[in-house]
Amino acid sequence: MHASKGDKLVQHGRVVGQHDHVVEVVEVLGPEGTPPYRVRAENGHETIMSPGPDCQVRHQEEHRQR
């Protein structure tokens, strides 16, 4: 997985009816865009995250097109 500052990480819900959790990458802490990432949720909470297989990266170019 590779992400850059400004990309979105989408962690998909694991249970029927559970919403996806979307956070923004504010800092890349790993080498060459690899995890871990410092991320910020919509409510302003920041944390360090190493995404698992249930997570998807939406790169900045992709969110400009939507």
Side-chain angles (χ1 to χ4, degrees), residues 7 11 29 49:
D7 288 347
Q11 186 172 9
L29 302 171
M49 181 177 181

Side-chain angles (χ1 to χ4, degrees), residues 9-30:
L9 297 181
V10 181
Q11 186 172 9
H12 299 291
R14 297 181 184 185
V15 179
V16 174
Q18 185 179 31
H19 299 286
D20 292 345
H21 182 64
V22 181
V23 294
E24 179 181 354
V25 176
V26 294
E27 183 180 3
V28 177
L29 302 171

Side-chain angles (χ1 to χ4, degrees), residues 30-56:
E32 299 178 18
T34 60
Y37 307 113
R38 179 178 307 278
V39 297
R40 181 180 303 130
E42 289 181 7
N43 66 3
H45 178 77
E46 289 189 14
T47 191
I48 304 294
M49 181 177 181
S50 291
D54 59 342
C55 204
Q56 171 187 18

